[in-house]
Amino acid sequence: MVALCGGTLNGLSFFPFLSDPARRSTFCLKLALVMTHLTFVGVLFGFDKELIHKTIQDLWYTTVYLLLLVATLAQYFITSGSSPGYVLDAMRAINEIDASRNRASSTKDQPASSKNSSVVITIDRNQLEKSLLGSGTTSWAKLVMDMYSPGTSVRSVNCTYCNIMQPPRAKHCYDCDKCVLQFDHHCVWLGTCIGKGNHCRFWWSYAIVILLLAVLSICLFFLLLLLLFHSYLILTNQTTYELLRRRRIPYLRNTPERVFPFSKGVCRNSYEFCCARSSMYRMEPLPTAQELEEKSRPYTCSDILSCRCCC
């Protein structure tokens, strides 16, 4: 147990982002989504051996798919790692700009002399953040209050969780525990909020994913049509050759349209195809003229009630 804990701690120290539970769950979600897609593609190629040969022959299809796959993964990780635009970061940026302007103006106002010809300004980062979050937020407060209509109270625009003033369209995200500019929603698949900073990347991620699914859907749609086509042949007791070359086969040339000479009904055809244990050398004789005439007879209400098409 000690060795296991030690290995876990060493792994977390080697990968610092895994020490945070929220970032660790986000990383596991991304890994699960990527593995799900790769598993789906593996199963697709595993069940359809001809698809491998088709992709080798049609290199353009494989190239388009791989390019879309790489673009999807790149866009996914870029979007999930991008900042949605936090209110706290915007507040710090505004106040840092204002503080730098004040320092520049104070330096400019100093009298020129040989003693202060070289001025070195040292700023403590922690002290600057405290001042930005404390009494030095007058620039941010003025900027935010100017966005609202006159008479708006400070309490109504102040976030009760972050204790900072929210501009219009900002909202506190309870999952990220931060206020987000132009908050759209918290995307569980990306593990981050969607806001002003990454809304465009989020849209492009969806667009590329849809293109990737469209390329996969072409293959899936073709396989589905092929399945339906062969199911139709089974239900009517036909072969592909008999269906496509009906007018060239001597024993089918004079058969009326929409008449399937070897069909014994949908139910019996299905039973013989799936369940009947007959010899592979059993041949089917050609139907007589009387049987063909019976098969070509139009359906009536009594035929439908008696399930003529099934037996």
Side-chain angles (χ1 to χ4, degrees):
M1 180 65 71
V2 175
L4 180 62
C5 295
T8 304
L9 292 176
N10 291 333
L12 294 178
S13 61
F14 189 74
F15 300 101
F17 65 93
L18 294 179
S19 59
D20 186 6
R23 299 180 66 181
R24 186 165 60 246
S25 61
T26 303
F27 173 77
C28 293
L29 175 63
K30 298 174 184 176
L31 182 63
L33 290 175
V34 174
M35 293 304 298
T36 301
H37 178 80
L38 295 179
T39 303
F40 170 76
V41 175
V43 170
L44 185 64
F45 279 92
F47 278 94
D48 190 3
K49 301 298 183 181
E50 296 182 358
L51 186 61
I52 300 178
H53 300 288
K54 293 178 182 178
T55 53
I56 295 176
Q57 294 175 357
D58 300 332
L59 292 178
W60 67 269
Y61 183 86
T62 308
T63 304
V64 171
Y65 169 75
L66 292 177
L67 289 177
L68 287 175
L69 177 61
V70 173
T72 301
L73 294 178
Q75 189 67 27
Y76 174 77
F77 284 105
I78 290 174
T79 306
S80 61
S82 61
S83 173
Y86 296 113
V87 176
L88 184 61
D89 294 337
M91 184 186 69
R92 287 173 176 172
I94 293 297
N95 285 283
E96 282 182 355
I97 292 175
D98 184 71
S100 61
R101 287 177 179 175
N102 292 335
R103 289 194 301 270
S105 61
S106 61
T107 305
K108 184 178 180 180
D109 293 339
Q110 288 182 355
S113 62
S114 59
K115 295 181 180 181
N116 59 3
S117 57
S118 178
V119 180
V120 179
I121 301 176
T122 304
I123 302 175
D124 188 2
R125 180 73 179 180
N126 297 328
Q127 184 178 359
L128 177 61
E129 290 185 355
K130 290 181 181 179
S131 64
L132 292 175
L133 295 175
S135 58
T137 59
T138 54
S139 300
W140 175 255
K142 184 178 183 304
L143 178 65
V144 171
M145 294 308 298
D146 289 342
M147 297 180 183
Y148 290 95
S149 58
T152 304
S153 63
V154 177
R155 181 175 297 181
S156 62
V157 301
N158 196 59
C159 178
T160 57
Y161 296 93
C162 299
N163 196 26
I164 57 177
M165 300 180 67
Q166 294 179 341
R169 309 185 72 183
K171 184 185 178 299
H172 183 85
C173 177
Y174 302 100
D175 297 293
C176 298
D177 196 23
K178 292 181 180 179
C179 291
V180 179
L181 295 170
Q182 200 170 320
F183 177 83
D184 189 87
H185 70 285
H186 182 87
C187 183
V188 295
W189 304 110
L190 293 173
T192 185
C193 283
I194 305 301
K196 188 176 181 62
N198 59 357
H199 206 167
C200 180
R201 293 192 183 97
F202 176 76
W203 184 88
W204 277 110
S205 298
Y206 262 96
I208 297 176
V209 167
I210 290 175
L211 289 176
L212 179 62
L213 293 178
V215 173
L216 290 176
S217 299
I218 294 174
C219 179
L220 293 176
F221 183 70
F222 174 76
L223 295 176
L224 178 60
L225 290 180
L226 195 61
L227 175 64
L228 295 177
F229 172 72
H230 283 282
S231 300
Y232 169 75
L233 295 178
I234 293 170
L235 295 177
T236 56
N237 196 9
Q238 297 183 89
T239 62
T240 305
Y241 170 68
E242 292 174 344
L243 179 65
L244 299 180
R245 297 290 185 266
R246 186 184 181 96
R247 292 305 173 191
R248 297 184 181 182
I249 302 175
Y251 59 84
L252 294 178
R253 189 175 300 165
N254 298 324
T255 305
E257 290 289 341
R258 299 182 181 178
V259 173
F260 313 115
F262 302 101
S263 177
K264 303 177 182 64
V266 174
C267 297
R268 191 171 177 181
N269 292 336
S270 303
Y271 174 77
E272 290 186 354
F273 181 84
C274 300
C275 304
R277 300 297 180 183
S278 59
S279 174
M280 64 178 296
Y281 300 109
R282 184 178 67 86
M283 272 71 74
E284 299 180 62
L286 287 172
T288 61
Q290 184 179 357
E291 290 175 345
L292 289 176
E293 184 179 356
E294 179 66 22
K295 291 177 183 293
S296 61
R297 183 171 57 86
Y299 285 92
T300 61
C301 295
S302 60
D303 293 331
I304 296 176
L305 293 176
S306 60
C307 298
R308 176 189 161 195
C309 61
C310 298
C311 55

